Amino acid sequence: MTELPASTQRKLGLVIDLDTCVGCHACVTACKGWNTENYGAPLADKDAYGAEPVGSFLNRVHSFEVQPESGPAQTVHFPKSCLHCDDAPCVTVCPTGASYKRVEDGIVLVNESDCIGCGLCAWACPYGAREMDPVEQVMKKCTLCVDRIYNENLPEEDRQPACVRTCPAGARHFGDLADPDSDVSRLVAERGGFDLMPEQGTKPVNKYLPPRPRDEDIDVLAPFLQPVAETPSGFLGWLDRALEKL
Amino acid sequence: MHPAASIIAFTTLSGIGFGLLAFLGLGFPRVEGMSAFAFFAIAYLLAVGGLVFSTFHLGHPERALKAFTQWRTSWLSREGWASVLTLVVMAIFAAPLVFFGLRLAPIGWLGALASIGTVYITSMIYASIRSVPRWHHWSTSAMFIAYALSGGALLSGQVTVAIAFLVLTGIGQFAAWKAGDARFAAAGSTAGTATGLGGIGKVRLFESSHSEGNYLTKEMVFVIARKHATKLRSIALVLAFAAPVALLLLPFHHVMAALAVLSHLCGVLITRWLFFAEAEHTVSLYYGRTAA
């Protein structure tokens, strides 16, 4: 049903650390790989080796430049996927009931066999989190790897979204954001996690952590970087003096 | 937004079709028998034809009947119900009128109300989308209804009413364009809020997430021919409103009336193309495109 639940028992989601993300796109690749080989229609590519390749992805990394009033500009790599909003506009617009938000964990999913491919949900999402598959013509979106996180056939450390599992920088965190004591909730509280486009009223579950301020604490290490020996001694010292005399 | 031909045809044709049905339901023109049949046939062809076009937009049209299930929340689902119910009510009104010359006036009035209601519900598919600030406004519904009434008056041959509606709709469209131009900025979404980095400084796309286009850029970051918007708006105003009004003011002739209808239809198609092509979606903020 496309009526949103009044509340969900848990709010599973991601916390993405914009300070730590190095923009390697490993999460993009891991996501595409897992979600092509597992739940739902594969994430197709068209004209993959041609002049104008297109394909569906559930996660993409954009890179932004932020120019403060003074000081150097900063590059921020910005992964973006479904935010599993509490007030998800993509769900309520769906005419067939293919889109829904789960009461038990808050994950927003698409029942692909009910999807008519009208694309209205993709329009309704302010973030561009939904993409129509170019081959299957059904709407694809992040499932929070629902087929991994509860999958008891996988080793326990693998029961998290593929993007989180693969991130080499530890920039992605998965957990229950409804539980104030969860690791992700504490991370959000400590680091000042924020919502994307709060003015759109979607109440996203996923949070982003801001980049830490730069160029302020760098002097902590500076003393350790002083040259150890000012003047050469021993054989090198003799060579140095001998060459000076020539 | 991508101006898909199927959706432009759908909103234009079904809008005019339901507009004509509204006038026929109210008894303008007061026709019976074969002439009533002709009027209703045109109205049904336009309304149903538009709806058929809308299914061309679907990735899985064979599942279209599922779209009737979520009327509690989805304007698109409500649109399906409203269209079918209106067409049924108008058929109950039209059949006795055509075959027995019997006018069940209250059913006609109900059908007229339902026709305008259907156009309103169609408009809400777009007006309810907050991520497209240009659409997310009551004027979207007002203009859809105004277009339906203008086209309906024109097709039903109500010359005086048609002139009045055409002039009002033309002025309304001009005002809606002007107001719509400022709405994206007024909604307050920027690259700063989209990334949450606006507090640090000015945010600019440094490198796109992919080198080629994708579904999002094709569907929602459509910018082609926006530079011609002013010219297209002028052409649309002339074709949709000025020319039909001028033709209607001339001594009545069926050729002139037909030309007025044709010109109006072409003009409305251009305004609908602009309705989509000029609509800026917030996802464009992630692609380095800002509202002009």
Side-chain angles (χ1 to χ4, degrees):
Chain A
M1 282 311 231
T2 53
E3 277 170 286
L4 289 167
S7 65
T8 57
Q9 289 155 23
R10 293 195 294 162
K11 293 183 185 184
L12 295 186
L14 302 176
V15 172
I16 294 170
D17 190 344
L18 298 179
D19 190 68
T20 314
C21 176
V22 294
C24 69
H25 292 241
C27 55
V28 178
T29 312
C31 169
K32 178 99 172 174
W34 179 265
N35 289 290
T36 293
E37 293 155 9
N38 295 280
Y39 166 85
L43 293 170
D45 293 312
K46 258 189 167 174
D47 195 23
Y49 304 98
E52 288 182 3
V54 290
S56 50
F57 287 76
L58 312 182
N59 178 37
R60 295 183 186 264
V61 179
H62 303 243
S63 296
F64 291 94
E65 176 197 79
V66 189
Q67 175 66 62
E69 291 261 330
S70 62
Q74 189 175 340
T75 307
V76 179
H77 302 292
F78 185 90
K80 180 168 67 67
S81 55
C82 174
L83 308 172
H84 298 280
C85 302
D86 273 342
D87 208 344
C90 55
V91 171
T92 51
V93 298
C94 175
T96 68
S99 282
Y100 59 105
K101 184 171 174 72
R102 304 199 332 167
V103 180
E104 61 269 38
D105 53 18
I107 300 179
V108 176
L109 289 176
V110 175
N111 177 354
E112 291 174 3
S113 59
D114 275 353
C115 177
I116 55 173
C118 69
L120 193 56
C121 55
W123 288 9
C125 172
Y127 309 104
R130 290 173 169 240
E131 298 186 17
M132 186 90 78
D133 189 85
V135 172
E136 283 296 320
Q137 294 294 310
V138 292
M139 198 53 72
K140 302 296 296 186
K141 70 175 293 302
C142 162
T143 67
L144 217 57
C145 284
V146 69
D147 50 349
R148 286 177 68 97
I149 59 177
Y150 298 115
N151 191 339
E152 294 187 355
N153 295 318
L154 295 177
E156 196 166 347
E157 64 267 29
D158 284 336
R159 288 179 213 159
Q160 45 183 326
C163 58
V164 176
R165 185 75 181 94
T166 204
C167 178
R172 305 178 70 96
H173 308 272
F174 165 68
D176 180 10
L177 286 138
D179 172 7
D181 294 324
S182 67
D183 287 349
V184 281
S185 294
R186 280 166 43 215
L187 200 52
V188 169
E190 279 169 27
R191 292 278 309 281
F194 57 82
D195 290 345
L196 303 185
M197 281 197 267
E199 71 278 4
Q200 284 282 328
T202 53
K203 301 194 198 105
V205 168
N206 284 13
K207 305 287 180 219
Y208 284 75
L209 306 179
R212 293 182 175 91
R214 297 287 156 90
D215 298 326
E216 286 173 15
D217 300 324
I218 197 162
D219 285 347
V220 172
L221 291 174
F224 297 106
L225 297 172
Q226 294 297 325
V228 178
E230 293 291 343
T231 49
S233 59
F235 171 72
L236 283 178
W238 171 81
L239 192 64
D240 183 47
R241 290 190 297 277
L243 287 169
E244 285 285 342
K245 283 175 188 164
L246 279 176
Chain B
M1 306 296 284
H2 173 63
S6 55
I7 304 189
I8 293 172
F10 154 55
T11 58
T12 304
L13 298 180
S14 76
I16 291 178
F18 282 113
L20 177 55
L21 282 177
F23 276 88
L24 293 173
L26 293 174
F28 301 106
R30 209 176 161 78
V31 283
E32 287 160 11
M34 278 317 288
S35 55
F37 179 80
F39 271 106
F40 277 104
I42 292 169
Y44 270 83
L45 277 176
L46 288 168
V48 177
L51 293 168
V52 170
F53 270 115
S54 75
T55 65
F56 295 164
H57 185 66
L58 303 179
H60 283 275
E62 76 280 7
R63 300 174 187 161
L65 284 179
K66 287 179 194 262
F68 285 94
T69 60
Q70 302 302 312
W71 49 272
R72 287 183 197 83
T73 67
S74 168
W75 285 103
L76 182 52
S77 184
R78 288 169 196 165
E79 209 273 337
W81 276 108
S83 304
V84 170
L85 290 176
T86 302
L87 292 172
V88 168
V89 170
M90 286 307 287
I92 295 171
F93 173 67
L97 196 62
V98 169
F99 297 112
F100 309 111
L102 177 65
R103 177 176 294 274
L104 303 169
I107 295 178
W109 301 334
L110 181 68
L113 195 67
S115 299
I116 297 307
T118 302
V119 175
Y120 169 75
I121 289 173
T122 306
S123 74
M124 283 306 291
I125 297 171
Y126 308 101
S128 67
I129 294 182
R130 193 168 175 174
S131 48
V132 183
R134 186 185 283 272
W135 292 348
H136 189 56
H137 195 256
W138 60 264
S139 60
T140 298
S141 302
M143 289 316 299
F144 266 65
I145 293 172
Y147 272 104
L149 290 174
S150 302
L154 198 57
L155 276 181
S156 61
Q158 308 302 303
V159 175
T160 319
V161 180
I163 291 173
F165 274 133
L166 285 169
V167 169
L168 286 174
T169 307
I171 294 168
Q173 178 63 79
F174 185 77
W177 277 331
K178 286 292 158 202
D181 288 344
R183 213 166 286 134
F184 193 94
S189 291
T190 62
T193 68
T195 58
L197 300 168
I200 302 174
K202 196 170 159 37
V203 179
R204 185 179 76 91
L205 184 69
F206 180 69
E207 191 175 35
S208 179
S209 53
H210 41 96
S211 57
E212 301 300 320
N214 70 353
Y215 175 74
L216 300 171
T217 57
K218 179 181 166 290
E219 188 71 14
M220 284 168 278
V221 197
F222 183 88
V223 288
I224 301 163
R226 250 188 218 166
K227 61 178 176 170
H228 296 308
T230 313
K231 280 178 203 163
L232 284 168
R233 284 179 179 184
S234 310
I235 293 167
L237 286 179
V238 168
L239 286 176
F241 306 111
V245 168
L247 288 165
L248 290 181
L249 286 172
L250 293 172
F252 182 79
H253 191 281
H254 281 294
V255 175
M256 293 299 181
L259 278 177
V261 169
L262 200 65
S263 173
H264 178 72
L265 196 63
C266 293
V268 177
L269 284 172
I270 298 173
T271 65
R272 280 295 144 79
W273 189 89
L274 286 165
F275 177 77
F276 291 98
E278 288 195 289
E280 311 93 339
H281 192 286
T282 50
V283 75
S284 61
L285 297 169
Y286 293 108
Y287 285 93
R289 312 219 169 103
T290 47

